[in-house]
């Protein structure tokens, strides 16, 4: 039986999407030399106010997984195969495109003669060329570990009376906190 759609999650996803679009739009202008300092400060403030978008997407990914699989454990091989095709394969294609684009426009690439394929393999696990693709890797790790999280869950009967948070939620929270802390320090 298909579970009912929760409209608030769709609205939250839309707001998070707009925040991420705004981040990417503003990021281009924050460090430009031809922008006055007060404008740069205001853009930086708006940029940081919209940083909730990415953690919101991560949170929604986890919540939706648990919502759709709260009563039945997913068939792991089929679950991973679907996520691999839907999420990781487009990531591989875009990583290759970014990797090639950066290499083609780098003079050292042409002087070396032989492409450095080790750097391409490294990009598939720790994206640097398409640095904004880190999100895909993080969410895919969550998908890989989801059966472990699912096994450790404690179903909420009445959320308003539940004083604790399940272990998967705590793990996700610690991961997000670490990610936010590490990016804030950069």
């Amino acid at each position: 039986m298909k579970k009912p759609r929760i409209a608030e999650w769709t609205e939250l996803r839309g707001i998070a999407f707009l925040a991420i679009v705004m981040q990417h739009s503003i990021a281009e202008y924050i460090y430009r030399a031809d922008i006055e300092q007060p404008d740069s400060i205001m853009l930086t403030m708006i940029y940081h106010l919209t940083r909730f978008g990415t953690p919101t997407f991560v949170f929604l990914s986890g919540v939706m997984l648990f919502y759709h699989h709260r009563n039945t454990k997913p068939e792991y091989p089929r679950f991973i195969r679907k996520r691999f095709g839907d999420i990781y394969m487009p990531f591989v294609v875009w990583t290759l495109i970014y990797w090639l684009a950066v290499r083609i426009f780098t003079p050292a690439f042409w002087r070396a003669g032989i492409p450095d394929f080790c750097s391409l393999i490294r990009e598939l696990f720790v994206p640097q060329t398409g640095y904004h693709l880190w999100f895909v890797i993080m969410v895919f790790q969550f998908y890989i570990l989801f059966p472990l999280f699912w096994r450790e869950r404690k179903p909420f009967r009445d959320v308003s009376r539940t004083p604790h948070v399940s272990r998967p939620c705590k793990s996700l929270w610690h991961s997000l906190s670490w990610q936010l802390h590490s990016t804030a320090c950069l």
Side-chain angles (χ1 to χ4, degrees):
M1 184 174 155
K2 193 170 182 175
K3 299 202 175 25
R5 186 179 185 105
I6 299 176
E8 291 82 5
W9 290 353
T10 304
E11 293 166 6
L12 186 58
R13 187 183 302 158
I15 292 169
F17 172 78
L18 290 175
I20 290 172
V21 168
M22 184 171 274
Q23 275 184 338
H24 285 276
S25 300
I26 290 173
E28 179 65 29
Y29 296 99
I30 291 175
Y31 299 108
R32 288 181 53 157
D34 60 339
I35 293 205
E36 298 292 324
Q37 184 179 11
D39 295 334
S40 179
I41 291 170
M42 182 56 71
L43 288 172
T44 302
M45 288 171 54
I46 295 170
Y47 176 82
H48 286 293
L49 287 173
T50 59
R51 288 186 65 175
F52 71 89
T54 305
T56 301
F57 270 117
V58 174
F59 171 76
L60 285 173
S61 295
V63 165
M64 291 170 85
L65 273 174
F66 279 101
Y67 176 69
H68 290 293
H69 298 288
R70 69 177 172 220
N71 297 325
T72 58
K73 185 176 181 181
E75 180 189 330
Y76 190 69
R78 196 175 122 242
F79 175 81
I80 288 297
R81 195 170 33 254
K82 179 175 177 6
R83 297 314 189 275
F84 188 81
D86 292 347
I87 306 235
Y88 198 74
M89 287 313 295
F91 166 78
V92 169
V93 169
W94 279 106
T95 298
L96 181 63
I97 290 169
Y98 281 120
W99 185 81
L100 283 172
V102 167
R103 298 305 182 277
I104 288 172
F105 295 109
T106 304
F109 173 79
W110 297 104
R111 284 193 297 262
I114 300 172
D116 178 20
F117 289 112
C118 289
S119 68
L120 175 61
I121 302 298
R122 197 170 36 253
E123 290 288 322
L124 295 175
F125 297 99
V126 184
Q128 299 294 314
T129 306
Y131 63 91
H132 56 285
L133 297 176
W134 68 267
F135 174 76
V136 176
I137 295 294
M138 188 176 74
V139 170
F140 197 72
Q141 289 173 8
F142 184 75
Y143 291 152
I144 289 171
L145 296 174
F146 178 66
L148 190 70
F149 294 149
W150 189 90
R151 191 184 77 214
E152 293 294 321
R153 83 196 189 300
K154 293 180 181 172
F156 292 110
R157 288 184 177 75
D158 181 4
V159 177
S160 64
R161 287 203 215 157
T162 307
H164 68 282
V165 178
S166 68
R167 281 187 244 168
C169 291
K170 283 183 183 177
S171 299
L172 184 60
W173 172 255
H174 289 299
S175 172
L176 286 174
S177 298
W178 180 84
Q179 180 63 36
L180 288 173
H181 175 70
S182 66
T183 57
C185 294
L186 295 178

